[in-house]
Amino acid sequence: MSVPITSETSSIRMNPPVFYFAAAFILIFGVVVIAMPAAAGEWLLAAQNWAANTVGWYYMLAMTLYLIFVVVTALSGYGKIKLGADHDEPEFSYLSWAGMLFAAGISITLFFFCVSEPLTHMLNPPQGPAGNAEAARQGMQLLFLHWGLHGWGVFAFVGMALAYFAYRHNLPLALRSALYPLIGKRINGPIGYAVDGFGIIATVFGLGADMGFGVLHLNSGLDYLFGMPHTQWVQVGLITLMMGAAILVAIAGVDKGVRVMSDINMLLACALLLFVLFAGPTQHLLNTLVQNIGDYLGALPTKSFDVYAYDKPSDWLGGWTVFYWAWWIAWSPFVGLFIARISRGRTIREFVFGVLLIPLGFTLAWMSIFGNSAIDQVLNHGMVALGQSAIDDPSRTLYLLLETYPWSKTVIAVTVFISFVFFVTSADSGTVVLSTLSARGNNADEDGPKWLRVFWGAMTALVTSALLFSGSIDALKSAVVLTSLPFSLILLLMMWGLHKAFYLESQKKIAQTHSLAPVSHSRRGGWRQRLSQAVHFPSRDEVYRFMDTTVRPAIEEVSAVFREKGLNVITQPDPANDNVSLEIGHGDEHPFIYQVQMRGYFTPSFARGGFGKKEQLRNRRYYRAEVHLAEGSQDYDLTGYTKEQIINDILDQYERHLQFLHMVR
């Protein structure tokens, strides 16, 4: 499971097999679609109909399985496992982490679908009569299904896999790492590179769909405000302009400015939501929100498997639910990488329920308030044009709804501004993620090269423009469904790998509690010396000398004997002399890693020996020689041990490791 501990860092560079495979596929696709837009549009639509009729059931099962997997994992004993070493603590406070998860739930597509989708479901429902209150209720239920737990379940799954293997097992922050328990070091060969390549392809088309819906929405807003023509060439110009801005942000690294603008944007989005709530039929909107949540949760088990098998054949399932499931899958590397990056040190249980519930609350509130406001206008105020717009031109529907509110021009202008910023920040983040997935040599906290961000930004713009020319919304949906299909299979393999890794970890915990022959841990000098050592808080120099004169010779002596036994032994030199490590390889089996690290802490208040002033005490640090295994710190200190006792401790841990290998064979 784990890889050798190393103090060397490689330079970040492009990963040729992954890059060329993904880039060639996307470039060829874009050129073909641009060269033959009409024919390509027909092919894509026919392929989507085939996928919906042939593998629609598979998409339904796969998405439900991803959700069940993360929930069951979180509720099981595996939920206590940390996404990182055992001693890692979360980088962000719970409030900051929740705020970033909340931000992850906001996207420009919320503006596109929040009004048009529920109205479309009401007027063209998959079952039953259209255009009445019951159809509206069913429409909101379907809207919640498409934007609810299933989508965040696949995000949580991919984020959990990325964080677990990168932060707990020091593997690359890449999709292929989740297959390590299945294929071992071959993740750095053709199989692993193909996994990353398919992940990039799915992400590009998922991001392209997001940009496509976003640019249609923005074009309609600019048309409403300034009379900008609603044409394909204008949309290509908008894509070029906004992707250019996103690329500049990505390569300039103006993180602080973008973060401030994003924070302001979220506040404006929340203000817009509250405005629609309180300027509209507030009591009705609150009532419907509560009822929509109840309808959704009550129907979740049956709707998760509903493929309308007993209804007359239709393309509704492929155009809506199957498309959404494919879209969530395509977006999962993008969002998964983001939430993995901010979640190091959290337990799996905390991670899963945070990701599932925090963004979901805002998303469902947004959809319910805007969706029911539009339904109220159509059913109770006779605004037939609003409903027809949802079917004929969904990108204009939100603006037609906002026209009915006070200060409509200002509100629509703010909505266009919010949409623009969300577009740029999503595209910026997308190019960074794509560059990271197509690079190697970076650690888990570094991004890919800047030139890769430029390249993937251009490729995403090319794909989006090509799809808009070949059939607008239908082409976007078709491309996402097709490119997500192979990646959905990869996610199932990743699930298998993650489950196997959790099982191995549980077996290792059991092995570490395995009864061994007792070893005397008495310190030299008897119990009085042991007591003195217990209340002594050594300085850095003391522990440094102990590492050099006792720990290092003990590890070198053990290493020499292991080599005599024919084992593959690796010791890692450390120029700073603040850690000493030993690794014993066992072929394709899991290596044994034993490392002693010097770590500093602030002296506790009860340790008064040798200090006269509390202020001096508060700022004085003491040091420990802590034992680390492959999964992180074991939280005990070797300082004061003799060389023989350290050797015995190494052998204790090694025998436990052998017991673990015996249990998992």
Side-chain angles (χ1 to χ4, degrees), residues 113-122 142-143 146-147 320 324:
F113 287 104
C114 65
V115 174
S116 62
E117 184 178 345
L119 289 178
T120 302
H121 295 332
M122 181 182 74
L142 292 168
L143 180 69
H146 295 157
W147 291 86
W320 288 103
Y324 267 112

Side-chain angles (χ1 to χ4, degrees), residues 127 486 577:
Q127 294 173 315
N577 203 35

Side-chain angles (χ1 to χ4, degrees), residues 26-38 40-41 233 236 459 461-470:
I26 293 166
L27 189 60
I28 292 171
F29 177 91
V31 170
V32 169
V33 172
I34 289 175
M36 300 180 290
W233 283 109
V236 170
M459 286 295 99
L462 173 69
V463 166
T464 307
S465 301
L467 291 173
L468 287 175
F469 267 91
S470 65

